[in-house]
Amino acid sequence: MSKNVITDVCVIGAGISGLVTAKCMRDVGFDVVVIERTNDVGGLWVFKEKGYGVMRFTHINVSKQNYCFSDFPFGDDVPDFPHNEQMASYIRDYTRQFGLYDIIQFQTEVVSVKRKGDGWQVMTSKVTADEDGVVTRTGEESIVQCKYVAIASGHHAKPKWPNFDGQDQFKGEIIHSVDFKDAITNDLTGKRVLVVGVGNSGVDAAVNCATEGRCKEVHLSTRSGAWVLSNYIFGCPVDHYASRALLWLPWQLVNMVTETATTLTYGHPNKWGLNPKMKAHQTQFTICPNLVFHIQRGQVKMHPNITRMEDKKVYFTDGSFTEVDAVVFCTGYFIDLPYLDEEVRSQCLKDGNSLELFKNIFSPDIGSSLAFIGFVQPASGGLLSMSETQARWWAELCKENVRLPDKETMLDVIKKEQEECAKKYFSSSRHTIQKDPIIYNDDIAARFGAKPQLWKHPRLAWRLLLGTCGSAQYRLQGPGKWDKAHDVVMSVPTTAFVDYSATAVLVIIAAVLMWFLTLLCC
């Protein structure tokens, strides 16, 4: 039996993107309903024995200063790179702090999203999950009628499976990373394991198999290779090196510095069989402090891409082969929005999967009544600050305090950004939505007055230029200004390497000017 719910805003998903969207929309006075398929908040950050979520051992690979809500920082007792249990606890605390639990409909699945007059109609169904994580609908349906809809269910939705010759006849076990919890839980102890993919999930899975999992052999296959960085460089979290001053430089120059620093630390990645086919800044970095250590010890053996499978043998493009008992595909995800009405889908997606949106948020054909929050891939740093900046902009648009450009302008911007992306990044589906968080957040925040201005914050100018500054910098001014933002930004250190380098550059410039002035005076 159906029942109607009438509200201002419907948010799909109670992960980090959905929660921050709900909070931002409530901050400006809207009534909000959040639809969540599971029985908890936090999305992928909630570990589950069965079903979608992080691996048991996963830590965030972005520092807590750059992966937090802008007005709700982590406590001092939390390490730089929190474990997933700490992340889940933090997200629940945020939900409780801002009274969001009361507006979430748990164990509810979106069936369809359609236009309805000047607004939207979201049909939902109650669901249950069995002990294996299989979700079924109960038949209890509802209809949410609203003026605005936010899709915040994430772009890591549908597992992407490769298809190699002989894969269907492979006599070992094949699983996707979505079902990999740890080597012990997945009964891989003592077995020969091949992990496919050198993104963060892939290298984490390989290291887990080689250490706690006590697998007999661990092999790691990569199609395109990777630049692997440690969590820390010169004692500071690696993402703390991102800054406006650095990103204003030509990316090729920044790339040279990054590759040099990496090579001086570990040696060139080719030495370890990582064999990247791209420059360091043409892809998202893989963050892992100990992969090279395990490769050097022979506990993880590197291989190029797979050509075919036969019995339990896996053959590679260099002509070599190995025999394994299990294969773990860490090969990513597709965007999956099956509930979108066909008309809406055609206005938002290209070729059925690739989103074509203004600033990764809005369809030029639909406008600001429908927002995609969190459908962006951070080049460095984390997604959370980007989702929050998107949500705050959307709130100001819905309040009609600011406006979107006209359709033609939005289409031109989309085309230009696609061309720029194709020039810079290595050809890959995930790079079609890749953005640098500082550049992206500055762009979005400037559209509603929240981009930090150096002249307004002279005491923070050095940090705003040379530091990462964390999420709170976007609460220094504009709508949603937070009186504690200044102190939180001050607590995020700049790196000694950048401080010394910038000071040296200033000294050199001063010396050159003094020499030039001396010549003029003579």
Side-chain angles (χ1 to χ4, degrees), residues 41-191:
V41 297
L44 64 83
W45 283 115
V46 178
F47 173 78
K48 303 179 184 68
E49 292 287 350
K50 299 287 185 179
Y52 178 72
V54 291
M55 301 172 190
R56 192 186 301 275
F57 49 85
T58 300
H59 287 249
I60 67 172
N61 53 31
V62 183
S63 69
K64 65 180 184 180
Q65 292 88 357
N66 288 319
Y67 201 98
C68 66
F69 300 102
S70 64
D71 53 357
F72 193 74
F74 280 96
D76 293 338
D77 59 330
V78 178
D80 288 336
F81 299 94
H83 183 265
N84 66 78
E85 289 182 353
Q86 293 168 311
M87 277 300 308
S89 177
Y90 168 73
I91 295 167
R92 292 181 188 117
D93 287 345
Y94 176 86
T95 307
R96 193 175 300 110
Q97 173 70 24
F98 295 106
L100 301 179
Y101 275 111
D102 293 340
I103 62 172
I104 303 172
Q105 296 184 7
F106 289 108
Q107 292 183 289
T108 304
E109 183 176 67
V110 174
V111 177
S112 65
V113 176
K114 300 179 181 179
R115 289 242 188 143
K116 186 73 171 180
D118 294 333
W120 296 87
Q121 177 179 286
V122 181
M123 181 173 286
T124 68
S125 174
K126 285 293 185 181
V127 296
T128 59
D130 63 20
E131 60 183 12
D132 293 321
V134 178
V135 174
T136 56
R137 294 175 181 171
T138 65
E140 182 184 347
E141 295 184 339
S142 297
I143 293 175
V144 180
Q145 295 181 358
C146 55
K147 188 173 182 180
Y148 308 106
V149 171
I151 297 176
S153 50
H155 58 274
H156 291 164
K158 184 178 181 180
K160 184 184 294 183
W161 290 86
N163 185 21
F164 299 108
D165 288 345
Q167 182 174 320
D168 293 341
Q169 285 76 45
F170 181 69
K171 294 184 178 179
E173 180 184 8
I174 297 178
I175 64 173
H176 191 276
S177 59
V178 71
D179 296 314
F180 182 81
K181 305 305 175 183
D182 63 52
I184 296 174
T185 301
N186 288 91
D187 193 28
L188 299 179
T189 300
K191 295 180 180 178

Side-chain angles (χ1 to χ4, degrees), residues 293-485:
F293 170 80
H294 292 295
I295 295 173
Q296 181 269 329
R297 285 195 163 190
Q299 295 168 319
V300 175
K301 298 178 175 64
M302 293 301 304
H303 301 276
N305 196 27
I306 297 169
T307 56
R308 62 188 176 94
M309 297 177 171
E310 183 180 305
D311 294 327
K312 284 192 173 184
K313 293 179 180 178
V314 180
Y315 293 82
F316 304 99
T317 55
D318 62 356
S320 66
F321 71 90
T322 191
E323 193 165 349
V324 296
D325 304 301
V327 176
V328 182
F329 283 134
C330 297
T331 46
Y333 298 83
F334 289 110
I335 295 170
D336 189 34
L337 303 168
Y339 47 77
L340 278 185
D341 178 72
E342 189 56 40
E343 177 191 1
V344 178
R345 177 185 297 275
S346 66
Q347 293 172 325
C348 301
L349 278 79
K350 181 180 179 181
D351 301 325
N353 182 62
S354 177
L355 289 169
E356 195 159 271
L357 305 171
F358 177 64
K359 297 301 174 183
N360 293 70
I361 312 171
F362 304 111
S363 163
D365 289 315
I366 297 173
S368 59
S369 67
L370 176 67
F372 291 79
I373 305 295
F375 287 78
V376 58
Q377 181 74 37
S380 64
L383 174 65
L384 181 46
S385 68
M386 304 170 85
S387 294
E388 183 169 20
T389 309
Q390 291 176 334
R392 291 176 64 197
W393 182 30
W394 188 47
E396 293 302 308
L397 285 164
C398 293
K399 291 296 288 186
E400 298 185 357
N401 294 329
V402 294
R403 294 183 179 277
L404 286 175
D406 62 72
K407 178 180 176 180
E408 291 306 314
T409 300
M410 288 193 281
L411 289 172
D412 287 343
V413 170
I414 292 172
K415 182 179 179 181
K416 181 180 177 182
E417 290 186 347
Q418 287 175 339
E419 292 171 350
E420 290 174 350
C421 193
K423 288 179 183 177
K424 178 177 179 180
Y425 293 115
F426 183 75
S427 179
S428 170
S429 58
R430 73 176 180 177
H431 293 150
T432 59
I433 57 172
Q434 184 139 316
K435 305 288 183 182
D436 185 275
I438 291 179
I439 294 175
Y440 183 81
N441 283 332
D442 277 358
D443 180 6
I444 302 304
R447 295 172 183 272
F448 63 97
K451 177 184 176 182
Q453 302 293 328
L454 299 182
W455 63 273
K456 287 186 177 181
H457 311 284
R459 291 176 56 201
L460 295 176
W462 182 266
R463 293 174 182 274
L464 291 171
L465 277 173
L466 300 172
T468 186
C469 293
S471 303
Q473 64 184 298
Y474 297 103
R475 293 281 182 180
L476 289 168
Q477 63 188 69
K481 178 182 177 181
W482 185 41
D483 58 3
K484 296 180 181 179

